[in-house]
């Protein structure tokens, strides 16, 4: 289409040629020529005959231009100057054919070239072979048809008769030949033939200019082809060079012609016969193509094709913007062509389309008028379909853009209306919206959450700031956008590094450390550590809570801790409903917001002390959170969107498992932590407690990073402190630091402190005692320093030196620092035990301890004899131990009847039995005293004490089976502390005893009992 209408105006042509636009002169009504364009004045007779809708023009066969030599009004417009370019006028009184060449100064005035001579005007005289007839008569050529023509190939599209096309010549020989012809004064005629291979023709193109749809062809490659004639279509167009613009270069050697740009106007169709001269330029012999005239039989068919072609072109004009751009010219052409030559109509219709060169050549090569019209109609129909599709796409895009523009305008109007009403939210709502959107950048937000956020943002944008729901929606969006959607920390999958961190902060706790190493090993194979639920169960002070932070550091995860001890509100776990005032999410959502990671380590402390009130059962709320199959979509009441908690590593702590609900305990992996024995406590005190307490008290120097040092890297106490005067800091600079004496605690003192003051399973009380000692040492140091400063004021007295102060704590001085011992002896009875007293072993939340069972018998009166035996228990025993006493009495009676002589067999029927456990202020309960109570009753019946160094534990059944118990390590420690060398454990607990360290098992005589008969043999070997 662009090529078809390329000759509409000289202004468009000048822009395509890169020249300045032609401007009409108001006074003389003539065109000023663009610089470097050779123009030919065509007489009016020639102009009229160039109209391709001419009815009277005929080809006389002698070389004159016939009626088919010009097709389309564009040719006429080009010839008159409105389409073809500038016209060189004859001055009044000049000879025919004479031209007036304007000087450079005149060119400047008329918008021509610059004075530097970068372009050149080619003077071309009027063709002498063209005669000018009187106005209104058709022009008659005086020359004949020349069969010899210079050939130029065309890329992509052929040139139709009556149409115009631009061709770029860069070959120097061809350009010189064309200039030579122009210098002769005759507008040269050339043959324009389309190249067959479009790809090869594309290679002839040079640079594509911004304002040109197609770049001009290059001729060098074509002229170097072995058979140039074979690469061209044999039907082409004889064309006249209407305008020529040379490309000149000013160099050292003068002006050089680099190329030429031609404007060709098609005249008629020709056929390629033979090659006369290879050139360059290429010259061939051609003959005029005779078009078949209309036949009377095909008259109706031809008229139908013409009407349909005209109708289709008009339909295209309605929807195609490029057609509408030249609507006036096309309408005028259709009106004049409607009754004209069918060949001209077919050529005109085909030139309007964007078809390929091969399809356009089909129209040119077709001889019959009906067949040619049919071929052109097919191309026009395709163009109509393409235009309709283009219109559909344009409408869709326009509707979309219009909807966005309409929405934008409505929103702007809404803002102005709200501003007039005083409801403008520009004071913060827009900034909040931008802040919320910025938070979500880079986060992988789940689809359901994203939809909820978008809905809330849309609602929030329409809320007035005074609205009650404004603040509620703002807080909700704040929580939603602050959540770490898709963000997680990289796990440290190094076993060596994890072990170093765990050993650095904690001594012992091998079960926990091994479990963490297993977790890391599995994560190393899988590529990521999955979320788990661990429960650390053990007595207070063994490091359950503090090891949670070390585990987080070993895994490279964020750490968050919260306690559920005494928690009675479900909302603390699952959050409040947003309808309540002051509603907030639960602890888990708060943890994720704080750490900004979706895979932190969350420590839930005191899970065994969780409460229950009228506001729900928090333990039941933890079921969803701590269930691996459900916590991937944990639903918080406040957020009301699923939160993925499956990657969180939960670590719970508890002292006992008895108070943890069964369903909750089933969801956790329980790791039991036993208490520390004497050797472990001594090591912990020497490596951790004493150095830390000394530094906190100022007795030892502070280190930059104590956590980076291994436990054995203890810094020597060589710190310096300022003197007393400098410490006051009253207008004085700090004086020289004085070296401190070495402060230390003897190993024997630490051992005595553990044995007589701190017998609990953990080390919390031991830490308190060590800190107490360090505080007293610091007090002594400051008192001595102040005393020495006062003595310096009295010269007659010798001052005491700070270096002479002894800050070494020994076992003998221990009572001066921590007071009298809490425990005077490990045993209630020294030496042999009385009959009816047996030493048992018990486990408490503070660790293992020895438990004495005392039995006493009183003879019944004569009236009471024969009654059922009974036992009374005291010592604040629980229900379980009371039931154990009843079972123990039955087992003792059975053993007595089977083993004792007749006078002792009825001991229990003749006496009232009383069982007591000392330290009655301490509650006691548990299923591990049955064996001890049975032995105490039999010792009382035999009136024979059991072994003094014997301690036992275990529950006995009604049939005398000894049942397993727990806390073997703690009970063994308690037995060693009490000096017991012989122990009786249930047979099922042998594996627990075998796992104990060698130093705990060393020197012990351990017996494992399956039934009470085994216990009786050990306790009373001589019976």
């Amino acid at each position: 289409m662009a090529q078809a209408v390329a000759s509409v105006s000289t202004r468009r042509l000048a822009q395509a040629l890169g020249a300045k636009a032609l401007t009409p002169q108001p006074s003389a009504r003539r065109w000023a020529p663009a610089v470097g364009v050779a123009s030919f004045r065509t007489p009016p007779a020639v102009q009229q005959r160039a109209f391709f809708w001419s009815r009277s023009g005929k080809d006389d066969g002698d070389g004159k231009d016939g009626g088919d030599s010009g097709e389309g009004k564009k040719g006429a417009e080009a010839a008159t100057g409105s389409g073809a370019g500038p016209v060189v006028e004859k001055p009044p009184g000049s000879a025919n054919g004479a031209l007036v060449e304007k000087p450079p100064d005149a060119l400047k005035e008329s918008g021509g070239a610059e004075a530097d001579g970068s372009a050149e005007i080619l003077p071309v005289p009027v063709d002498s072979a063209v005669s000018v007839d009187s106005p209104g008569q058709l022009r008659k050529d005086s020359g004949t048809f020349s069969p010899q023509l210079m050939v130029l190939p065309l890329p992509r599209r052929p040139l139709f008769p009556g149409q115009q096309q631009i061709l770029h010549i860069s070959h120097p020989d061809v350009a010189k030949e064309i200039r030579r012809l122009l210098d002769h004064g005759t507008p040269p005629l050339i043959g324009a033939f389309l190249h067959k291979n479009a790809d090869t023709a594309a290679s002839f193109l040079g640079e594509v200019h911004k304002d040109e749809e197609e770049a001009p062809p290059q001729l060098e490659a074509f002229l170097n082809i072995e058979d140039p004639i074979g690469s061209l279509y044999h039907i082409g167009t004889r064309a006249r060079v209407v305008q020529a613009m040379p490309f000149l270069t000013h160099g050292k050697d003068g002006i050089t012609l680099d190329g030429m740009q031609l404007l060709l106007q098609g005249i008629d169709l020709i056929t390629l016969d033979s090659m006369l001269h290879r050139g360059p330029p290429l010259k061939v012999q051609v003959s005029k193509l005779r078009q078949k005239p209309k036949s009377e039989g095909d008259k109706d068919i031809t008229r139908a094709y013409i009407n349909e072609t005209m109708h289709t072109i008009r339909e295209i004009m309605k929807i195609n913007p490029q057609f509408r751009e030249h609507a006036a010219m096309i309408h005028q052409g259709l009106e004049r062509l409607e009754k004209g030559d069918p060949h001209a109509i077919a050529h005109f219709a085909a030139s309007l389309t964007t078809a390929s060169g091969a399809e356009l050549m089909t129209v040119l090569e077709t001889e019959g008028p009906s067949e040619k019209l049919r071929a052109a109609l097919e191309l026009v129909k395709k163009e109509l379909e393409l235009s309709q599709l283009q219109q559909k796409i344009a409408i869709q895009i326009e509707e979309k853009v219009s909807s966005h523009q309409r929405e934008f305008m409505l929103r702007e109007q809404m803002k102005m209306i709200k501003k007039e009403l005083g409801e403008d939210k520009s004071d913060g709502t827009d900034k909040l919206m931008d802040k919320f959107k910025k938070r979500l950048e880079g986060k992988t937000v789940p689809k359901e959450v994203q939809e909820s956020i978008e809905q809330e943002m849309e609602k929030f944008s329409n809320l007035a700031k005074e609205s009650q729901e404004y603040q509620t929606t703002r807080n909700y969006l704040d929580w939603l956008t602050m959540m770490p959607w898709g963000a997680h920390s990289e796990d440290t999958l190094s076993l060596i590094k994890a072990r170093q961190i765990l050993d650095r902060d904690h001594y012992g706790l091998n079960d926990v450390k091994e479990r963490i190493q297993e977790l890391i090993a599995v994560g190393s194979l899988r590529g990521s550590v999955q979320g788990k639920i661990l429960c650390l169960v053990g007595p207070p002070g063994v490091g359950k809570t503090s090891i949670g932070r070390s585990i987080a550091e070993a895994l490279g995860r964020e750490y968050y801790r919260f306690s559920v001890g005494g928690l009675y509100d479900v909302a603390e776990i699952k959050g409040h409903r947003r309808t309540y005032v002051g509603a907030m999410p639960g602890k888990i959502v708060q943890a994720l917001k704080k750490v900004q990671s979706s895979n932190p380590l969350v420590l839930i402390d005191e899970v065994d002390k969780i409460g229950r009130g009228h506001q729900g059962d928090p333990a039941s709320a933890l079921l969803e959170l701590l269930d691996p199959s459900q916590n991937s979509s944990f639903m918080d009441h406040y957020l009301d969107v699923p939160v993925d908690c499956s990657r969180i590593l939960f670590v719970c702590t508890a002292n006992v498992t008895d108070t943890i609900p069964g369903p909750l305990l089933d969801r956790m992996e329980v790791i039991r932590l036993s208490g520390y024995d004497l050797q472990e406590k001594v090591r912990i005190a020497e490596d951790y407690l004493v150095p830390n307490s000394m530094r906190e008290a100022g007795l030892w120097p502070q280190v930059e990073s104590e956590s980076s040092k291994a436990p054995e890297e203890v810094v020597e106490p060589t710190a310096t402190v300022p003197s007393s005067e400098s410490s006051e800091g009253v207008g004085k600079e700090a004086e020289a630091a004085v070296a401190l004496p070495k402060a230390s605690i003897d190993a024997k003192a630490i051992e005595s402190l553990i044995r007589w003051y701190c017998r609990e399973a953990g080390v919390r009380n031991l830490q308190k005692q060590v800190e107490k000692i360090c505080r007293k040492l610091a007090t002594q140091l400051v008192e001595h320093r102040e005393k020495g400063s006062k003595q310096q004021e009295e010269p007659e007295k010798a001052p005491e030196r700070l270096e002479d102060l002894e800050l070494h704590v020994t076992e003998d001085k221990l009572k001066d620092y921590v007071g009298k011992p809490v425990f005077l002896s490990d045993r209630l009875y020294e030496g042999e035990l009385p009959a009816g007293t047996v030493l048992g072993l018990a486990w408490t939340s503070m660790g293992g301890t020895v438990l004495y069972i005392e039995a006493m018998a009183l003879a019944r009166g004569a009236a009471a004899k024969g009654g059922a035996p009974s036992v009374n228990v005291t010592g604040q025993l629980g229900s379980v131990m009371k039931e154990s006493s009843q079972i123990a009495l039955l087992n003792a009676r059975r053993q007595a009847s089977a083993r004792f002589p007749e006078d002792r067999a009825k001991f229990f029927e003749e006496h009232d039995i009383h069982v007591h456990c000392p330290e009655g202020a301490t509650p006691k309960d548990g299923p591990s005293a049955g064996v001890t109570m049975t032995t105490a009753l039999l010792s009382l019946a035999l009136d024979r004490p059991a072994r003094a160094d014997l301690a036992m534990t275990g529950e006995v059944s009604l049939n005398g089976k000894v049942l397993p118990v727990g806390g073997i390590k703690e009970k063994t420690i308690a037995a060693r502390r009490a000096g017991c060398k012989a122990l009786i454990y249930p047979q099922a607990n042998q594996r627990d005893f075998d796992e104990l360290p060698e130093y705990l098992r060393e020197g012990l005589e351990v017996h494992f009992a399956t039934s009470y008969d085994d216990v009786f043999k050990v306790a009373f070997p001589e019976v």
Side-chain angles (χ1 to χ4, degrees):
M1 178 64 192
Q3 293 181 356
V5 298
S7 61
V8 174
S9 64
T10 307
R11 187 182 301 275
R12 293 181 179 276
L13 176 63
Q15 293 175 355
L17 293 175
K20 295 183 178 179
L22 304 179
T23 56
Q25 304 294 331
S27 60
R29 297 186 61 82
R30 64 181 61 180
W31 292 93
V35 177
V37 179
S39 305
F40 310 103
R41 182 176 180 273
T42 305
V46 177
Q47 297 175 11
Q48 294 179 4
R49 196 172 183 277
F51 292 159
F52 77 47
W53 55 76
S54 174
R55 301 179 182 177
S56 59
K58 295 182 180 179
D59 187 3
D60 53 6
D62 57 355
K64 299 179 181 180
D65 292 341
D68 59 348
S69 63
E71 299 181 1
K73 183 181 178 182
K74 292 185 290 185
E77 292 179 347
T80 59
S82 61
V87 177
V88 182
E89 297 283 353
K90 292 189 302 180
S94 62
N96 187 23
L99 291 177
V100 177
E101 183 178 359
K102 293 185 178 182
D105 295 338
L107 287 176
K108 288 185 178 180
E109 297 176 359
S110 61
E114 301 293 339
D116 59 358
S118 59
E120 180 181 358
I121 299 295
L122 299 180
V124 181
V126 177
D127 187 4
S128 61
V130 179
S131 61
V132 180
D133 298 333
S134 59
Q137 296 180 358
L138 295 176
R139 179 183 65 83
K140 295 182 180 179
D141 295 339
S142 60
T144 60
F145 176 81
S146 175
Q148 179 180 353
L149 288 177
M150 180 175 62
V151 172
L152 295 177
L154 299 178
R156 298 183 181 88
R157 293 174 62 90
L159 175 64
F160 287 92
Q163 306 300 316
Q164 292 181 346
Q165 188 168 331
I166 297 173
L167 193 64
H168 181 78
I169 305 299
S170 61
H171 198 285
D173 295 338
V174 178
K176 289 179 182 179
E177 177 65 19
I178 294 177
R179 179 160 185 173
R180 185 185 65 79
L181 294 176
L182 292 172
D183 291 341
H184 283 80
T186 303
L189 299 177
I190 63 171
F193 292 87
L194 181 67
H195 201 282
K196 291 182 179 180
N197 192 340
D199 296 335
T200 305
S203 65
F204 299 159
L205 303 180
E207 280 190 30
V208 179
H209 300 281
K210 296 181 180 178
D211 298 334
E212 297 178 3
E213 181 181 359
E214 296 180 352
Q218 303 291 337
L219 299 180
E220 290 85 347
F222 169 74
L223 294 175
N224 294 329
I225 298 176
E226 183 177 353
D227 183 17
I229 299 297
S231 62
L232 301 176
Y233 285 94
H234 280 228
I235 294 179
T237 304
R238 187 165 60 121
R240 177 181 287 112
V241 179
V242 179
Q243 287 183 349
M245 183 169 64
F247 299 137
L248 304 178
T249 302
H250 297 268
K252 297 181 180 180
D253 301 334
I255 300 176
T256 306
L257 180 64
D258 290 340
M260 188 174 292
Q261 186 167 273
L262 306 178
L263 177 63
L264 305 179
Q265 180 176 351
I267 301 176
D268 52 11
L269 298 180
I270 56 178
T271 59
L272 185 61
D273 295 338
S274 62
M275 181 174 62
L276 299 178
H277 179 63
R278 183 181 183 89
L282 176 65
K283 295 185 178 180
V284 297
Q285 181 177 351
V286 298
S287 59
K288 184 177 295 187
L289 180 65
R290 303 292 179 178
Q291 301 285 353
K292 289 184 179 181
K294 294 188 293 184
S295 60
E296 293 296 332
D298 296 340
K299 184 177 181 179
D300 296 337
I301 298 177
T302 303
R303 172 52 53 190
Y305 277 128
I306 292 175
N307 293 340
E308 183 63 23
T309 302
M310 299 297 182
H311 175 73
T312 306
I313 293 175
R314 291 188 176 94
E315 290 294 325
I316 298 176
M317 289 175 58
K318 295 178 182 178
I319 59 177
N320 194 316
Q322 294 181 352
F323 276 71
R324 288 197 299 269
E325 194 174 325
H326 309 285
M329 183 271 292
I330 296 176
H331 274 298
Q332 187 176 2
L334 291 177
E335 292 176 0
R336 294 176 180 267
L337 287 174
E338 191 171 1
K339 298 180 180 180
D341 184 11
H343 294 282
I345 295 174
H347 293 165
F348 177 72
S351 65
L352 297 177
T353 65
T354 57
S356 63
E359 293 174 333
L360 296 177
M361 283 302 302
T362 303
V363 178
L364 284 179
E365 293 174 348
T366 305
E367 297 181 358
S370 299
E371 291 79 4
K372 179 169 290 193
L373 284 171
R374 180 176 180 178
L377 181 59
E378 291 179 357
L379 298 182
V380 175
K381 287 292 184 182
K382 291 181 180 179
E383 191 70 22
L384 177 61
E385 294 178 0
L386 183 62
S387 299
Q388 290 174 347
L389 180 60
Q390 181 179 354
Q391 184 188 32
K392 182 179 179 181
I393 296 174
I395 291 175
Q396 292 176 351
I397 296 176
E398 185 177 358
E399 289 177 353
K400 186 176 180 180
V401 174
S402 299
S403 64
H404 287 297
Q405 292 178 348
R406 180 174 178 273
E407 183 180 355
F408 174 76
M409 294 300 296
L410 290 176
R411 290 189 180 277
E412 291 298 322
Q413 293 177 4
M414 184 182 296
K415 289 181 181 179
M416 295 302 297
I417 293 172
K418 289 185 176 181
K419 186 175 182 180
E420 293 295 330
L421 293 176
E423 299 178 358
D424 186 22
K425 302 192 298 295
S426 60
D427 55 347
T429 301
D430 296 337
K431 293 182 179 179
L432 287 174
M433 294 285 289
D434 295 338
K435 182 177 72 172
F436 294 152
K437 293 178 181 179
K438 189 175 181 180
R439 286 177 182 176
L440 297 176
E441 294 178 358
K443 294 183 179 181
T444 307
V445 184
K447 180 180 179 181
E448 187 174 351
V449 179
Q450 184 67 37
E451 292 176 355
S452 179
I453 292 176
E454 292 175 355
Q455 293 175 2
E456 292 296 325
M457 282 189 175
E458 183 178 358
K459 181 177 70 174
F460 182 67
S461 62
N462 298 323
L463 289 175
K465 194 170 184 180
E466 297 79 12
S467 174
Q468 183 178 1
E469 199 174 356
Y470 181 87
Q471 192 64 32
T472 302
T473 307
R474 175 184 175 178
N475 293 339
Y476 181 56
L477 284 173
D478 187 63
W479 278 100
L480 279 179
T481 54
M482 282 294 290
M483 292 293 291
W485 305 111
H488 59 86
S489 57
E490 295 294 332
D491 293 321
T492 302
L493 303 178
S494 174
L495 293 177
I496 299 176
K497 183 178 180 181
R499 188 71 186 195
Q500 289 176 350
I501 294 174
L502 295 175
D503 290 341
R504 180 197 67 196
D505 299 335
H506 293 82
Y507 180 80
L509 304 179
N510 292 326
D511 293 341
V512 181
K513 295 177 181 179
E514 290 177 1
R515 184 62 185 90
I516 299 304
Q517 285 188 307
E518 293 171 1
L519 189 68
I520 295 176
V522 174
S524 178
L525 298 178
R526 290 174 54 92
S528 62
V529 177
Q530 300 298 315
K532 293 293 181 182
I533 298 97
L534 306 179
C535 183
L536 308 182
V537 180
V542 297
K544 300 185 299 298
T545 303
S546 60
I547 199 173
R549 186 179 297 275
S550 300
I551 295 173
E553 184 181 355
L555 293 174
R557 295 194 175 195
E558 299 294 332
Y559 175 77
Y560 186 85
R561 172 194 169 273
F562 69 94
S563 177
V564 294
L567 193 68
Y568 61 89
D569 192 358
V570 176
E572 294 292 332
I573 304 298
K574 301 202 66 174
H576 302 82
R577 299 289 181 182
R578 294 200 303 275
T579 55
Y580 299 122
V581 177
M584 289 186 64
K587 290 292 186 181
I588 296 301
V589 176
Q590 295 179 29
L592 294 178
K593 177 186 176 183
K594 182 177 180 180
V595 302
Q596 286 298 302
S597 175
S598 60
N599 62 337
L601 186 145
V602 177
L603 181 70
I604 305 177
D605 211 358
E606 308 295 347
V607 74
D608 60 327
K609 301 175 183 61
I610 193 168
R612 183 174 184 178
H614 64 281
Q615 294 175 332
D617 184 11
S620 300
L622 286 175
L623 294 178
E624 179 185 1
L625 180 63
L626 301 181
D627 192 345
S629 62
Q630 299 182 34
N631 59 9
S632 60
S633 58
F634 175 72
M635 188 69 70
D636 186 87
H637 289 163
Y638 183 85
L639 294 184
D640 202 25
V641 293
V643 179
D644 186 10
C645 300
S646 60
R647 303 188 66 180
I648 300 177
L649 177 59
F650 292 98
V651 178
C652 305
T653 65
N655 297 127
V656 294
T657 58
D658 301 339
T659 56
I660 302 177
L664 181 59
L665 186 64
D666 182 64
R667 285 165 168 77
M668 300 184 293
E669 181 181 352
V670 178
I671 301 177
R672 297 190 179 273
L673 305 180
S674 58
Y676 297 111
D677 56 20
L678 179 62
Q679 288 79 358
E680 291 174 336
K681 286 184 178 181
V682 171
R683 180 68 183 274
I684 292 173
E686 292 177 350
D687 294 343
Y688 299 94
L689 301 182
V690 173
N692 293 339
S693 300
M694 289 289 184
R695 295 189 182 100
E696 290 178 1
L699 298 173
W700 285 14
Q702 297 288 341
V703 293
E704 295 181 0
S705 179
E706 295 183 9
S707 59
S708 62
K709 294 182 178 295
E712 60 273 7
E713 295 178 353
V714 179
V715 181
E716 292 296 328
T718 58
T720 59
V721 295
S723 64
S724 59
E725 294 182 0
S726 63
S727 62
E728 294 177 0
V730 183
K732 297 182 180 180
E733 297 182 357
E735 298 181 359
V738 181
L740 290 179
K742 183 176 181 180
S744 61
I745 302 177
D746 189 68
K748 293 292 184 180
I750 294 177
E751 186 174 347
S752 298
L753 185 66
I754 296 171
R755 182 181 296 275
W756 305 113
Y757 294 87
C758 310
R759 287 188 175 181
E760 75 282 351
V763 294
R764 186 171 291 136
N765 191 33
L766 177 61
Q767 182 181 8
K768 294 178 182 178
Q769 299 297 335
V770 172
E771 291 175 352
K772 185 177 181 180
I773 294 174
C774 293
R775 289 195 301 268
K776 290 188 177 296
L777 291 175
T779 303
Q780 291 180 9
L781 175 62
V782 176
E783 289 177 350
H784 189 82
R785 186 177 59 188
E786 292 179 354
K787 184 178 180 180
S789 61
K790 290 182 179 180
Q791 289 178 353
Q792 290 179 357
E793 299 175 358
E794 300 177 2
E796 64 277 3
K797 295 183 180 181
E800 297 181 3
R801 295 188 306 171
L802 191 62
E803 293 80 358
D804 298 336
L805 179 63
E806 184 179 358
L807 298 179
H808 182 66
V809 180
T810 61
E811 185 178 2
D812 298 335
K813 299 178 181 179
L814 192 61
K815 62 181 179 179
D816 298 333
Y817 293 94
V818 293
K820 297 180 180 180
V822 179
F823 305 97
L824 299 177
S825 175
D826 291 318
R827 299 177 63 92
L828 183 60
Y829 296 93
E830 297 295 338
E832 188 176 351
L833 297 175
T837 301
V838 179
L839 186 61
L841 299 175
W843 181 92
T844 66
S845 60
M846 300 296 292
T849 183
V850 292
L851 180 65
Y852 284 92
I853 303 295
E854 299 176 335
M856 181 65 66
L858 295 176
R860 294 183 178 181
K865 287 184 179 181
S870 62
V871 60
N872 295 324
V873 293
T874 57
Q876 202 172 348
L877 304 182
S879 59
V880 177
M881 292 191 68
K882 289 180 180 179
E883 293 179 357
S884 297
S885 65
Q886 300 293 331
I887 300 298
L889 178 60
L890 293 176
N891 279 281
R893 291 177 60 189
R894 186 175 58 184
Q895 290 289 337
S897 61
R899 297 177 180 273
F900 294 177
E902 186 175 353
D903 56 341
R904 285 287 181 180
K906 296 181 180 182
F907 177 83
F908 298 103
E909 288 81 358
E910 297 174 352
H911 293 80
D912 293 327
I913 308 301
H914 188 92
V915 176
H916 174 71
C917 294
E919 299 180 5
T922 304
K924 310 171 189 67
D925 199 5
S928 62
V931 172
T932 309
M933 288 183 176
T934 304
T935 306
L937 293 176
L938 292 176
S939 174
L940 181 61
L942 289 174
D943 193 18
R944 181 178 298 180
R947 291 179 53 178
D949 59 348
L950 176 64
M952 61 187 68
T953 182
E955 184 60 48
V956 64
S957 68
L958 191 60
N959 295 323
K961 301 291 290 184
V962 179
L963 305 180
V965 294
I968 298 299
K969 180 179 180 181
E970 290 82 358
K971 293 177 179 179
T972 304
I973 295 172
R976 295 183 66 93
R977 187 169 58 238
C980 298
K981 302 297 183 181
L983 304 178
I984 299 179
Y985 287 146
Q987 180 66 42
N989 292 116
Q990 183 174 0
R991 58 179 183 178
D992 299 325
F993 182 80
D994 294 339
E995 293 176 357
L996 297 179
E998 181 64 29
Y999 66 85
L1000 287 180
R1001 295 180 293 166
E1002 185 179 1
L1004 295 180
E1005 177 188 346
V1006 183
H1007 303 272
F1008 298 100
T1010 304
S1011 63
Y1012 188 77
D1013 294 337
D1014 300 330
V1015 179
F1016 188 85
K1017 294 177 182 178
V1018 177
F1020 309 103
E1022 68 279 1
V1023 177

